[in-house]
Amino acid sequence: MGIFQKAVRQVAKLRLALSGPSGSGKTYSALLIASGIVPIEKVAVVDTENGSANLYANLGTYSVLTLHPPYTPKKYIEAIHAAEQEGFELVIIDSLSHAWNGEGGLLEQKDKATDAKYKGNGWAAWREVTPEYNKLIETMLNSSCHIIATMRSKTEYMQDDSSGRKRIVKVGAAPIQRDGIEYEFTVVFDLSIDHVATVNKDRTRLFDGQYFVPTPDVGKTLKQWLDAGEPAPAPQPVPVTAVQSAPQATAPQQAPQPAASSQPVQPATASAAPVQPQPSPPIDTQSDVYLMELLKFIWTKGGWSLDILPDYASKRWGKPFDQITASEVYALTNEICQYIHVDRRALEAEFQQTHIPF
């Protein structure tokens, strides 16, 4: 019997992002779409917009949790878990941008670490910040709830002559978030100042080329697509696949030593061992084997031998290599890519074209 299996369309949870400038209607649109997916009383809003989610209480009896500064990823993660535990079916994160550039967000944490610990070396500071970012993304992707995240976009102005009169209009550009955030969502809508949605990304292919004002019917359409599949099987725990040491004819290659302050330093080796976390059971599935093989591929792209990877990763996470979880493998992969100045997704595309991961 072969190792490949037939593709099966499975029931899925929504991962939707709404990006737009101030005043484009992100919160209101998110609530309207949510009401078409689940009963409104099953909607929880994580609000960082000074209570703006409460302004639309006329739409129904949804619930709101208002976060206050500092906007750390940990607060977002705890809010999502709380919504899951309280039985909500859909979480609106309004807005995700504060976790990036808000007070106490990741950019501020990185700047403080740069000044306080790394003598101006911003690349070294990312070593502390990136794992927190990855934990937040993984929490959203693995949540048992549908997720709708709003993101502020950078505001730009342009001249519009379409009506026969020249006027200056406000438009949204890239979302205020880490580059590439769109890849993490199934659907991404960009909202204009006139509340019209355009499609930035759509794996459902339901809205390609359309321009529309979000309504509950958009949520109903997405719900039909999400439910059109087989129930997703529960993952079966299996041991983490260990990295196979390649035979070396010469002395093992050493990982790079920290460079001068003007250069990035080694991304994972900390000056002191991290606090020992509580042991957790293996949660790896076939997809986790893929993540491990991808890490090995990217590690060798950095010019290091595979036989030093287990010790390196163990020191990074403060536990035996065979206890490292998929989320930690994912985080380490991102850190290595940042260190060697490459786009993880570009290397992943190369990996998928040339390797059979399992």
Side-chain angles (χ1 to χ4, degrees):
M1 182 176 179
I3 60 175
F4 289 92
Q5 299 177 353
K6 291 184 178 179
V8 177
R9 173 74 164 81
Q10 295 179 342
V11 173
K13 295 293 183 179
L14 179 65
R15 302 293 182 255
L16 167 66
L18 299 175
S19 174
S22 175
S24 59
K26 297 184 292 295
T27 306
Y28 189 66
S29 297
L31 286 166
L32 289 178
I33 293 173
S35 67
I37 298 173
V38 300
I40 194 67
E41 60 270 15
K42 291 293 185 179
V43 175
V45 182
V46 179
D47 180 17
T48 65
E49 298 283 355
N50 299 313
S52 64
N54 290 299
L55 299 176
Y56 310 109
N58 61 297
L59 293 177
T61 54
Y62 58 89
S63 300
V64 179
L65 171 63
T66 301
L67 298 185
H68 300 283
Y71 298 112
T72 61
K74 182 180 179 181
K75 285 188 176 181
Y76 284 78
I77 293 171
E78 291 174 346
I80 293 172
H81 288 327
E84 294 168 345
Q85 293 169 3
E86 293 182 25
F88 291 101
E89 296 178 8
L90 187 148
V91 178
I92 297 175
I93 302 174
D94 185 39
S95 91
L96 189 60
S97 293
H98 284 89
W100 180 246
N101 78 331
E103 181 181 346
L106 290 165
L107 288 182
E108 185 175 295
Q109 291 182 37
K110 176 258 182 183
D111 290 341
K112 289 182 177 179
T114 299
D115 295 336
K117 296 179 63 176
Y118 296 103
K119 300 179 180 179
N121 189 335
W123 282 103
W126 279 117
R127 178 179 59 199
E128 294 187 12
V129 172
T130 296
E132 298 303 312
Y133 173 83
N134 291 335
K135 289 177 184 177
L136 175 55
I137 296 299
E138 287 296 302
T139 299
M140 292 193 301
L141 296 181
N142 295 324
S143 176
S144 59
C145 298
H146 300 286
I147 299 289
I148 299 177
T150 71
M151 297 183 291
R152 294 179 177 182
S153 62
K154 302 170 185 177
T155 302
E156 296 182 356
Y157 294 87
M158 62 175 293
Q159 181 173 290
D160 178 24
D161 300 329
S162 60
S163 62
R165 297 178 57 188
K166 292 183 179 181
R167 64 188 183 111
I168 303 299
V169 296
K170 181 167 63 174
V171 297
I176 300 176
Q177 252 296 333
R178 193 167 193 165
D179 289 343
I181 186 64
E182 297 93 341
Y183 291 101
E184 311 296 350
F185 293 93
T186 306
V187 184
V188 180
F189 294 150
D190 291 334
L191 295 175
S192 71
I193 195 63
D194 298 320
H195 318 309
V196 175
T198 57
V199 179
N200 181 301
K201 171 188 176 181
D202 183 14
R203 288 177 178 164
T204 72
R205 296 178 295 177
L206 296 171
F207 305 97
D208 284 346
Q210 297 184 28
Y211 300 87
F212 57 91
V213 176
T215 66
D217 288 337
V218 174
K220 293 176 182 178
T221 301
L222 287 167
K223 175 67 171 174
Q224 291 177 354
W225 184 87
L226 294 166
D227 290 345
E230 298 292 332
Q236 298 298 318
V238 297
V240 177
T241 300
V243 175
Q244 299 296 323
S245 299
Q248 300 292 322
T250 59
Q253 184 178 359
Q254 298 297 317
Q257 297 300 314
S261 59
S262 61
Q263 299 294 329
V265 303
Q266 186 176 350
T269 301
S271 57
V275 177
Q276 181 74 19
Q278 294 298 320
S280 58
I283 58 171
D284 303 322
T285 63
Q286 194 174 56
S287 63
D288 302 329
V289 178
Y290 171 87
L291 290 175
M292 179 60 72
E293 294 296 322
L294 176 63
L295 172 61
K296 292 161 56 179
F297 175 76
I298 291 174
W299 180 265
T300 57
K301 284 286 184 178
W304 306 302
S305 300
L306 286 176
D307 58 352
I308 63 175
L309 175 56
D311 182 61
Y312 187 90
S314 296
K315 290 180 179 178
R316 172 65 181 84
W317 295 111
K319 59 184 175 181
F321 183 69
D322 60 2
Q323 293 182 12
I324 294 175
T325 67
S327 296
E328 291 162 342
V329 172
Y330 183 90
L332 184 55
T333 298
N334 282 342
E335 290 178 14
I336 296 300
C337 286
Q338 288 186 3
Y339 175 61
I340 63 177
H341 302 280
V342 296
D343 184 346
R344 178 182 67 82
R345 291 179 179 83
L347 280 183
E348 187 169 2
E350 179 184 347
F351 171 71
Q352 291 171 346
Q353 292 172 2
T354 58
H355 291 70
I356 300 176
F358 36 69

